[in-house]
């Protein structure tokens, strides 16, 4: 079975890219729980926590932290959930390790499992641009 994240990394599948460097890609989730829901994906394929090096996990979290800062700076978030679904029983649906960065708003009453298939951001391109611009501002003023 082919891996959708590997296809995105290779440029063979579309995605709204938020961040990219030599080793990682951050993209908007196609079925976001909240506006700005971003996935941090290592370009090197590993499946889950059992076969992913600790250094990779640490670097994914560091990128997730930057995206969380950007979401707050862009006023897309008051807080953030960060997590990894590790295995089928933990609702991992794409078997390429990835970190979820979920911007949260005060009072958003998010029910993570409710409506999972129907989630959509009505303006993914604009949301992507908001986060890219906020990352650029953060990078310019560390």
């Amino acid at each position: 079975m082919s891996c959708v994240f590997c296809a995105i990394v290779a440029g063979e599948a579309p995605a709204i890219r938020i961040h990219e460097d030599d080793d990682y890609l951050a993209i908007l989730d196609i079925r976001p729980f909240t506006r700005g829901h971003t996935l941090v994906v290592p370009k090197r394929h590993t499946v889950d926590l059992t076969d992913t090096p600790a250094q990779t996990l640490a670097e994914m979290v560091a990128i997730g932290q930057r995206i969380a800062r950007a979401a707050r700076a862009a006023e897309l978030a008051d807080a953030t959930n960060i997590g990894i679904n590790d295995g089928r029983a933990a609702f991992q649906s794409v078997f390429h390790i990835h970190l979820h960065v979920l911007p949260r708003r005060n009072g958003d009453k998010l029910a993570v499992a409710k409506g999972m298939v129907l989630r959509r951001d009505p303006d993914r391109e604009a949301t992507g641009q908001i986060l890219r611009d906020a990352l650029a501002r953060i990078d310019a003023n560390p």
Side-chain angles (χ1 to χ4, degrees), residues 63-115:
I63 293 166
Q65 180 184 36
R66 289 185 59 243
I67 292 166
R69 284 182 59 206
R72 288 184 188 196
E75 299 183 3
L76 288 176
D78 299 314
T80 309
N81 285 117
I82 291 183
I84 293 174
N85 299 340
D86 180 42
R88 191 172 309 281
F91 305 107
Q92 184 177 3
S93 59
V94 177
F95 292 90
H96 180 129
I97 192 85
H98 55 286
L99 178 82
H100 292 263
V101 181
L102 280 78
R104 299 298 302 272
R105 300 297 304 202
N106 289 323
D108 65 14
K109 298 178 184 167
L110 174 65
V112 174
K114 186 177 182 180

Side-chain angles (χ1 to χ4, degrees), residues 4-101:
V4 67
F5 290 161
C6 288
I8 290 169
V9 166
E12 298 167 357
I16 305 295
R17 294 168 183 254
I18 302 304
H19 165 85
E20 185 167 11
D21 60 32
D22 291 342
D23 300 311
Y24 300 92
L25 179 63
I27 58 175
L28 287 183
D29 193 309
I30 196 164
R31 291 190 179 91
F33 283 110
T34 61
R35 187 171 190 200
H37 179 174
T38 301
L39 305 176
V40 179
V41 180
K43 290 183 174 180
R44 182 179 166 270
H45 183 93
T46 58
V47 175
D48 56 30
L49 291 175
T50 65
D51 70 340
T52 302
Q55 180 70 29
T56 300
L57 296 171
E59 290 169 356
M60 289 168 59
V61 170
I63 293 166
Q65 180 184 36
R66 289 185 59 243
I67 292 166
R69 284 182 59 206
R72 288 184 188 196
E75 299 183 3
L76 288 176
D78 299 314
T80 309
N81 285 117
I82 291 183
I84 293 174
N85 299 340
D86 180 42
R88 191 172 309 281
F91 305 107
Q92 184 177 3
S93 59
V94 177
F95 292 90
H96 180 129
I97 192 85
H98 55 286
L99 178 82
H100 292 263
V101 181

